[in-house]
């Protein structure tokens, strides 16, 4: 376990924001810094086994003083066979998610659960849903992955996520004790306009990128893309990753990272294929300092500049 202390475009999606508050409705004050953690794991096609792994990692994070633990995409299940994910998909009030809500409440920790197989609008589709649970065990917000992985990976397999997944249409930010969170999932990482929207139009301070990158794309692009998103938005990036062989057909790259607004890696496991957590502190004064010294938000061209006729 590791301990580590441009352009503005029109975007045709809806926007949702959720505020962090107490049961009395008062806002939760933020300290100058707060400790968070990101997990790395190898999910399999067994809900109970994955829950046991997540439970152990939650206890490690809580013992390390983390107030938020971020899990990777498909944390609760990775199927061996085509159609398995559809069979186990549940609504958010089903027993799978209730178990994770109880886990958050019992450990007094927020959980970022990226890539839950939420039941879709019909039996042929699910939603790839990022769920945020607070330390009382309440679901604070959900985001459905909007960019679906329909890709012929060079030297790898062919994927068509849209064949069984409904694409989301809403941008989601969440006010929390860890700053204003911009919520995304995996393949979204390749679309910088989403992160530009989260930062410059919706004031995100921390970007959540749970993922299950392939070994081919991860080796080529994972760290580069994450550091680019951190630098161009001047946000912390928390990228929890699936790692290693899930079955005979599927393997994930791993390399869970926490990156600060200057693009410096401040959290990383020593083994990109292992199961564990990495811990870092979100320093709000660093966010303010980076943005003040390089005020890109003031220098950006307005939408009208780019939309004007040539």
């Amino acid at each position: 376990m590791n301990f580590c202390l441009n352009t503005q475009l029109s975007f045709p999606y809806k926007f949702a924001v959720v505020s962090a508050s107490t049961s009395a409705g008062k806002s939760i004050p933020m300290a100058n810094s707060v400790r968070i953690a990101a997990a790395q794991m190898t999910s399999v096609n067994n809900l109970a086994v994955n829950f046991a792994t997540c439970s152990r990692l939650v206890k490690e994070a809580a013992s390390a003083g983390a107030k938020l633990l971020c899990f990777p995409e498909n944390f609760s299940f990775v199927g061996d066979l085509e159609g398995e994910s559809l069979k186990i998909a549940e609504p958010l009030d089903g027993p799978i998610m209730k178990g994770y809500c109880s886990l958050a409440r019992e450990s007094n920790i927020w959980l970022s659960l990226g890539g839950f197989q939420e039941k879709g609008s019909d039996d042929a589709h699910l939603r790839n849903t990022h769920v945020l649970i607070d330390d009382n065990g309440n679901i604070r917000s959900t985001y459905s992955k909007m960019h679906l992985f329909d890709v012929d990976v060079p030297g790898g397999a062919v994927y068509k996520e849209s064949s069984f997944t409904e694409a989301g249409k809403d941008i989601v930010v969440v006010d929390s004790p860890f700053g204003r969170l911009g919520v995304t999932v995996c393949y979204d990482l390749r679309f910088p306009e989403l992160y530009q929207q989260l930062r410059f139009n919706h004031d995100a301070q921390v970007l959540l990128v749970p993922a299950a990158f392939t070994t081919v794309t991860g080796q080529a692009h994972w760290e580069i893309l994450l550091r680019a998103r951190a630098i161009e938005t001047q946000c912390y990036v928390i990228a929890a990753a699936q790692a290693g062989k899930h079955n005979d057909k599927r393997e994930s790259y791993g390399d869970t990272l926490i990156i600060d607004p200057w693009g410096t890696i401040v959290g990383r496991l020593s083994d990109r294929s292992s199961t564990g957590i990495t811990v870092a502190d979100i320093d709000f004064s660093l966010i303010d300092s980076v943005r003040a010294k390089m005020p890109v938000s003031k220098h950006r061209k307005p939408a009208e500049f780019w939309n004007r006729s040539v």
Side-chain angles (χ1 to χ4, degrees):
M1 183 168 60
N2 295 340
F3 294 89
C4 312
L5 293 182
N6 310 59
T7 59
Q8 184 176 354
L9 304 175
S10 59
F11 208 75
Y13 295 106
K14 292 185 290 182
F15 160 66
V17 60
V18 177
S19 296
S21 59
T22 65
S23 58
K26 297 179 181 179
S27 296
I28 299 174
M30 290 191 299
N32 290 331
S33 67
V34 62
R35 182 155 293 185
I36 57 88
Q40 187 168 282
M41 63 187 294
T42 309
S43 296
V44 295
N45 67 334
N46 187 309
L47 291 164
V49 168
N50 296 329
F51 185 79
T53 299
C54 291
S55 297
R56 174 170 60 83
L57 296 177
V58 165
K59 291 177 182 177
E60 287 185 19
S63 296
K67 303 302 181 183
L68 165 70
L69 175 58
C70 299
F71 281 104
E73 184 181 27
N74 300 331
F75 63 97
S76 62
F77 188 84
V78 171
D80 281 358
L81 304 174
E82 185 176 347
E84 278 190 320
S85 293
L86 280 171
K87 291 179 181 178
I88 62 94
E90 286 187 357
L92 295 176
D93 60 356
I96 298 174
M97 190 52 63
K98 283 184 178 179
Y100 285 92
C101 288
S102 295
L103 185 59
R105 181 175 59 254
E106 292 164 3
S107 297
N108 194 34
I109 192 171
W110 283 58
L111 297 179
S112 160
L113 303 174
F116 175 69
Q117 292 94 348
E118 181 188 5
K119 192 171 181 60
S121 60
D122 58 57
D123 291 338
H125 294 87
L126 54 77
R127 297 186 185 93
N128 191 337
T129 301
H130 188 158
V131 183
L132 277 170
I133 302 174
D134 68 18
D135 51 4
N136 291 315
N138 300 314
I139 294 177
R140 281 304 183 95
S141 185
T142 63
Y143 162 81
S144 293
K145 183 180 180 182
M146 62 174 61
H147 299 102
L148 302 183
F149 194 58
D150 291 358
V151 176
D152 183 351
V153 176
V158 177
Y159 298 85
K160 194 162 181 64
E161 189 176 14
S162 65
S163 67
F164 62 92
T165 306
E166 299 174 359
K169 295 184 178 179
D170 296 342
I171 296 173
V172 175
V173 295
V174 182
D175 286 323
S176 78
F178 329 101
R180 196 166 172 89
L181 308 176
V183 189
T184 71
V185 177
C186 198
Y187 190 49
D188 286 334
L189 180 61
R190 293 184 180 273
F191 301 89
E193 60 271 19
L194 171 58
Y195 297 88
Q196 299 279 313
Q197 287 282 325
L198 288 168
R199 157 68 167 102
F200 297 111
N201 288 20
H202 304 303
D203 301 320
Q205 296 169 299
V206 179
L207 304 172
L208 307 181
V209 192
F213 259 50
T214 71
T215 53
V216 174
T217 59
Q219 185 173 11
H221 301 146
W222 173 245
E223 180 181 327
I224 296 169
L225 287 170
L226 289 168
R227 295 182 71 184
R229 295 297 89 84
I231 293 165
E232 68 195 8
T233 63
Q234 300 172 318
C235 289
Y236 277 90
V237 170
I238 307 174
Q242 288 284 349
K245 293 199 70 172
H246 308 281
N247 51 56
D248 291 338
K249 297 180 180 179
R250 183 168 178 179
E251 183 175 359
S252 293
Y253 178 69
D255 201 18
T256 287
L257 295 173
I258 303 172
I259 304 168
D260 76 14
W262 192 243
T264 302
I265 295 172
V266 294
R268 184 178 223 162
L269 275 77
S270 58
D271 180 354
R272 70 171 178 83
S273 299
S274 65
T275 294
I277 64 168
T278 183
V279 178
D281 293 332
I282 300 295
D283 183 348
F284 298 105
S285 64
L286 178 62
I287 298 174
D288 294 339
S289 175
V290 169
R291 293 178 179 184
K293 293 176 179 178
M294 189 175 291
V296 295
S297 62
K298 295 179 181 179
H299 299 157
R300 295 173 72 247
K301 302 300 182 185
E304 294 77 15
F305 178 89
W306 302 106
N307 295 333
R308 75 190 194 284
S309 57
V310 178

